Short mmCIF file of all heavy atoms in Angstrom, two decimals:
data_model
loop_
_atom_site.label_atom_id
_atom_site.label_comp_id
_atom_site.label_asym_id
_atom_site.label_seq_id
_atom_site.Cartn_x
_atom_site.Cartn_y
_atom_site.Cartn_z
N GLU A 222 113.75 123.12 94.60
CA GLU A 222 114.61 121.85 94.44
C GLU A 222 115.85 122.19 93.70
O GLU A 222 116.86 121.60 94.06
CB GLU A 222 113.70 120.80 93.61
CG GLU A 222 114.51 119.57 93.35
CD GLU A 222 113.68 118.60 92.52
OE1 GLU A 222 112.42 118.74 92.39
OE2 GLU A 222 114.29 117.67 91.87
N PHE A 223 115.74 123.00 92.75
CA PHE A 223 117.05 123.52 92.08
C PHE A 223 118.02 124.10 93.08
O PHE A 223 119.20 123.78 93.03
CB PHE A 223 116.75 124.55 91.01
CG PHE A 223 116.15 123.98 89.80
CD1 PHE A 223 115.82 122.53 89.60
CD2 PHE A 223 116.06 124.73 88.59
CE1 PHE A 223 115.39 122.01 88.35
CE2 PHE A 223 115.59 124.26 87.43
CZ PHE A 223 115.27 122.89 87.34
N GLU A 224 117.46 124.90 94.01
CA GLU A 224 118.32 125.53 95.00
C GLU A 224 118.93 124.48 95.87
O GLU A 224 120.19 124.58 96.18
CB GLU A 224 117.54 126.55 95.84
CG GLU A 224 118.26 127.30 96.92
CD GLU A 224 117.36 128.03 97.78
OE1 GLU A 224 116.19 127.84 97.88
OE2 GLU A 224 117.93 128.93 98.53
N ASP A 225 118.23 123.53 96.28
CA ASP A 225 118.79 122.48 97.15
C ASP A 225 119.96 121.75 96.42
O ASP A 225 120.83 121.22 97.09
CB ASP A 225 117.73 121.43 97.52
CG ASP A 225 116.58 122.07 98.49
OD1 ASP A 225 116.97 123.15 99.04
OD2 ASP A 225 115.51 121.56 98.52
N ARG A 226 119.83 121.64 95.09
CA ARG A 226 120.83 120.86 94.33
C ARG A 226 121.91 121.77 93.82
O ARG A 226 122.87 121.34 93.23
CB ARG A 226 120.24 120.22 93.14
CG ARG A 226 119.26 119.14 93.48
CD ARG A 226 118.59 118.49 92.16
NE ARG A 226 117.68 117.38 92.55
CZ ARG A 226 117.10 116.62 91.66
NH1 ARG A 226 117.38 116.79 90.43
NH2 ARG A 226 116.20 115.62 92.02
N GLY A 227 121.89 123.17 94.10
CA GLY A 227 122.85 124.02 93.70
C GLY A 227 122.76 124.53 92.30
O GLY A 227 123.65 125.11 91.77
N ARG A 228 121.57 124.24 91.64
CA ARG A 228 121.46 124.62 90.35
C ARG A 228 120.99 126.11 90.14
O ARG A 228 120.99 126.67 89.11
CB ARG A 228 120.34 123.77 89.63
CG ARG A 228 120.85 122.38 89.39
CD ARG A 228 119.84 121.48 88.88
NE ARG A 228 119.35 122.01 87.50
CZ ARG A 228 118.45 121.25 86.75
NH1 ARG A 228 117.92 120.14 87.32
NH2 ARG A 228 117.99 121.69 85.59
N CYS A 229 120.48 126.72 91.16
CA CYS A 229 120.04 128.17 91.24
C CYS A 229 120.27 128.69 92.65
O CYS A 229 120.50 127.85 93.62
CB CYS A 229 118.71 128.36 90.62
SG CYS A 229 117.38 127.88 91.80
N ARG A 230 120.04 129.99 92.80
CA ARG A 230 120.15 130.62 94.10
C ARG A 230 118.89 131.44 94.33
O ARG A 230 118.41 131.99 93.45
CB ARG A 230 121.45 131.46 94.30
CG ARG A 230 122.70 130.50 94.06
CD ARG A 230 123.93 131.46 93.84
NE ARG A 230 124.26 132.10 95.20
CZ ARG A 230 125.28 132.88 95.29
NH1 ARG A 230 126.26 133.02 94.31
NH2 ARG A 230 125.51 133.50 96.46
N ARG A 231 118.57 131.62 95.63
CA ARG A 231 117.38 132.46 96.00
C ARG A 231 117.95 133.61 96.78
O ARG A 231 118.86 133.47 97.66
CB ARG A 231 116.43 131.62 96.72
CG ARG A 231 115.33 132.43 97.33
CD ARG A 231 114.17 131.66 97.92
NE ARG A 231 114.43 130.30 98.46
CZ ARG A 231 113.58 129.41 98.97
NH1 ARG A 231 112.35 129.64 98.86
NH2 ARG A 231 114.06 128.37 99.45
N GLY A 232 117.31 134.80 96.64
CA GLY A 232 117.74 135.92 97.47
C GLY A 232 116.91 137.16 97.08
O GLY A 232 116.02 137.21 96.28
N TYR A 233 117.28 138.31 97.76
CA TYR A 233 116.60 139.55 97.51
C TYR A 233 117.44 140.30 96.49
O TYR A 233 118.18 141.32 96.76
CB TYR A 233 116.57 140.45 98.85
CG TYR A 233 115.60 139.80 99.81
CD1 TYR A 233 115.91 138.81 100.73
CD2 TYR A 233 114.26 140.37 99.80
CE1 TYR A 233 115.11 138.32 101.67
CE2 TYR A 233 113.42 139.78 100.75
CZ TYR A 233 113.82 138.86 101.64
OH TYR A 233 112.83 138.27 102.58
N PHE A 234 117.35 139.94 95.22
CA PHE A 234 118.11 140.52 94.17
C PHE A 234 117.55 141.80 93.69
O PHE A 234 118.34 142.81 93.38
CB PHE A 234 118.29 139.52 93.12
CG PHE A 234 118.74 138.21 93.40
CD1 PHE A 234 117.96 137.05 93.20
CD2 PHE A 234 120.05 138.07 93.93
CE1 PHE A 234 118.46 135.77 93.55
CE2 PHE A 234 120.57 136.80 94.31
CZ PHE A 234 119.73 135.62 94.12
N VAL A 235 116.31 142.01 93.68
CA VAL A 235 115.59 143.25 93.29
C VAL A 235 114.76 143.77 94.50
O VAL A 235 113.93 142.99 95.01
CB VAL A 235 114.67 142.94 92.05
CG1 VAL A 235 113.99 144.38 91.64
CG2 VAL A 235 115.43 142.32 90.93
N ASP A 236 115.05 145.03 94.79
CA ASP A 236 114.36 145.52 95.91
C ASP A 236 112.79 145.54 95.78
O ASP A 236 112.29 145.70 94.61
CB ASP A 236 114.84 147.02 96.15
CG ASP A 236 116.19 147.15 96.64
OD1 ASP A 236 116.69 146.11 97.22
OD2 ASP A 236 116.77 148.16 96.68
N SER A 237 112.07 145.33 96.85
CA SER A 237 110.67 145.40 96.95
C SER A 237 109.84 144.28 96.29
O SER A 237 108.69 144.21 96.21
CB SER A 237 110.07 146.73 96.26
OG SER A 237 110.14 146.74 94.94
N LEU A 238 110.61 143.26 95.76
CA LEU A 238 109.89 142.11 95.12
C LEU A 238 109.91 140.91 96.06
O LEU A 238 109.58 139.78 95.54
CB LEU A 238 110.60 141.81 93.74
CG LEU A 238 110.52 142.91 92.60
CD1 LEU A 238 111.07 142.37 91.40
CD2 LEU A 238 109.00 143.27 92.58
N GLY A 239 110.26 141.03 97.29
CA GLY A 239 110.21 139.89 98.25
C GLY A 239 111.32 138.93 97.99
O GLY A 239 112.24 139.13 97.23
N GLY A 240 111.36 137.87 98.82
CA GLY A 240 112.40 136.90 98.80
C GLY A 240 112.28 135.76 97.97
O GLY A 240 113.19 134.90 97.78
N ALA A 241 111.14 135.62 97.22
CA ALA A 241 110.91 134.52 96.26
C ALA A 241 111.39 134.93 94.96
O ALA A 241 110.80 134.97 93.91
CB ALA A 241 109.44 134.25 96.14
N GLN A 242 112.81 135.18 94.90
CA GLN A 242 113.50 135.53 93.65
C GLN A 242 114.52 134.50 93.44
O GLN A 242 115.24 134.18 94.37
CB GLN A 242 114.08 136.96 93.66
CG GLN A 242 113.11 138.03 93.97
CD GLN A 242 113.79 139.40 94.05
OE1 GLN A 242 114.62 139.66 93.32
NE2 GLN A 242 113.41 140.13 95.09
N PHE A 243 114.70 134.00 92.23
CA PHE A 243 115.62 132.94 91.96
C PHE A 243 116.53 133.30 90.70
O PHE A 243 116.12 134.09 89.79
CB PHE A 243 114.93 131.68 91.61
CG PHE A 243 114.12 131.10 92.62
CD1 PHE A 243 112.82 131.52 92.90
CD2 PHE A 243 114.69 130.16 93.59
CE1 PHE A 243 112.03 131.02 93.98
CE2 PHE A 243 113.98 129.67 94.59
CZ PHE A 243 112.64 130.04 94.76
N SER A 244 117.80 132.95 90.80
CA SER A 244 118.71 133.23 89.82
C SER A 244 119.83 132.24 89.78
O SER A 244 119.92 131.30 90.64
CB SER A 244 119.33 134.63 89.94
OG SER A 244 120.08 135.01 88.80
N THR A 245 120.69 132.34 88.79
CA THR A 245 121.85 131.45 88.70
C THR A 245 123.03 132.11 89.24
O THR A 245 123.13 133.36 89.31
CB THR A 245 122.15 131.08 87.27
OG1 THR A 245 122.46 132.26 86.47
CG2 THR A 245 120.97 130.36 86.71
N THR A 246 124.10 131.33 89.56
CA THR A 246 125.39 131.95 90.12
C THR A 246 125.93 132.97 89.22
O THR A 246 126.50 133.93 89.62
CB THR A 246 126.36 130.79 90.38
OG1 THR A 246 125.75 129.92 91.41
CG2 THR A 246 127.66 131.34 91.00
N ASP A 247 125.98 132.68 87.98
CA ASP A 247 126.58 133.53 86.98
C ASP A 247 125.90 134.91 86.91
O ASP A 247 126.58 136.03 86.90
CB ASP A 247 126.53 132.96 85.51
CG ASP A 247 127.56 131.71 85.37
OD1 ASP A 247 128.37 131.61 86.23
OD2 ASP A 247 127.31 131.06 84.42
N VAL A 248 124.63 134.95 87.07
CA VAL A 248 123.89 136.21 87.05
C VAL A 248 124.07 136.96 88.42
O VAL A 248 124.26 138.19 88.28
CB VAL A 248 122.38 135.97 86.81
CG1 VAL A 248 121.57 137.25 87.03
CG2 VAL A 248 122.15 135.39 85.37
N VAL A 249 124.08 136.18 89.50
CA VAL A 249 124.41 136.80 90.74
C VAL A 249 125.72 137.53 90.69
O VAL A 249 125.83 138.66 91.24
CB VAL A 249 124.24 135.84 91.88
CG1 VAL A 249 124.74 136.46 93.24
CG2 VAL A 249 122.85 135.33 91.95
N ASP A 250 126.73 136.84 90.20
CA ASP A 250 128.01 137.41 90.14
C ASP A 250 128.14 138.65 89.20
O ASP A 250 128.71 139.64 89.60
CB ASP A 250 129.13 136.43 89.51
CG ASP A 250 129.30 135.36 90.49
OD1 ASP A 250 129.09 135.54 91.64
OD2 ASP A 250 129.98 134.24 90.02
N ARG A 251 127.30 138.70 88.13
CA ARG A 251 127.25 139.86 87.38
C ARG A 251 126.53 141.03 88.04
O ARG A 251 126.90 142.24 87.93
CB ARG A 251 126.46 139.63 86.01
CG ARG A 251 127.16 138.70 85.04
CD ARG A 251 126.40 138.52 83.84
NE ARG A 251 126.28 139.77 82.98
CZ ARG A 251 125.57 139.95 81.97
NH1 ARG A 251 124.98 138.94 81.41
NH2 ARG A 251 125.52 141.13 81.37
#
């Protein structure tokens, strides 16, 4: 729900941990 509202983002940020990873825009930019 946060992702739908733009409050967080989902992606493959850490290898081998699957796609169910969530973070914020600031952390993704870092």
Side-chain angles (χ1 to χ4, degrees):
E222 180 182 342
F223 279 11
E224 181 187 19
D225 294 339
R226 296 183 179 184
R228 292 177 60 178
C229 76
R230 300 172 65 175
R231 173 167 35 182
Y233 290 88
F234 305 118
V235 182
D236 288 343
S237 76
L238 295 185
Q242 303 177 45
F243 297 86
S244 188
T245 61
T246 299
D247 290 342
V248 173
V249 173
D250 290 342
R251 291 185 63 187

